[in-house]
Amino acid sequence: METTMKLASVRFVVRDIATMASFYARITEGEAQFLAPVFAEIVTRGATIALGTTQTVALFKEGSAEPAANRTAIIELQVDDVDATFARVSTFAEAVHEPKVMPWGNRTAQVRDPEGNLVSFYTPVTDAARARFDR
């Protein structure tokens, strides 16, 4: 069954929006668009990375989110060449693990963003993995 929902963005509540916007623009080789001084987006081919300062939390519910507190979510970015991407990004980001093939067929590497969130780069390398992403 096909869902009617579309993942539009992943949003981070951040302490330092300038640093985080610069980081995500650099790793995606995109451009950060500041829609307000407290909110920025980096639009990628599949979804948008959104960044909001702690001031934006009060617009939803005070105390509902806090920066640099995530230890469960991983932002994943599909790339054409995970090895080349990791070589480029690990020159300015903390490396978590070098490229390796995961049991589900992706070659994956991870870094941390400036506020400690995990960022995973992957390339489907098995026939089954490539077929999943060709849908």
Side-chain angles (χ1 to χ4, degrees), residues 26 85-94 111:
R26 192 169 178 191
T85 300
F86 181 75
R88 178 179 62 82
V89 172
S90 64
T91 64
F92 59 87
E94 174 192 345
V111 300

Side-chain angles (χ1 to χ4, degrees), residues 2-3 5-6 20 35 48 110 126:
E2 191 171 320
T3 181
M5 290 186 197
K6 174 185 172 186
M20 291 289 278
L35 306 180
T48 297
Q110 291 180 338
T126 65

Side-chain angles (χ1 to χ4, degrees), residues 39-121:
F39 186 81
E41 293 181 336
I42 298 91
V43 178
T44 72
R45 191 173 60 221
T48 297
I49 299 168
L51 306 166
T53 68
T54 54
Q55 295 165 322
T56 64
V57 175
L59 299 172
F60 301 107
K61 183 175 187 251
E62 192 67 49
S64 62
E66 63 182 83
N70 170 40
R71 287 308 220 196
T72 59
I74 302 169
I75 186 166
E76 293 187 307
L77 301 168
Q78 185 176 349
V79 298
D80 292 332
D81 184 340
V82 72
D83 293 272
T85 300
F86 181 75
R88 178 179 62 82
V89 172
S90 64
T91 64
F92 59 87
E94 174 192 345
V96 175
H97 75 78
E98 294 188 6
K100 60 183 171 184
V101 177
M102 304 306 276
W104 46 90
N106 293 339
R107 185 159 175 80
T108 303
Q110 291 180 338
V111 300
R112 286 205 185 274
D113 74 17
E115 294 193 3
N117 301 297
L118 279 175
V119 179
S120 182
F121 303 99

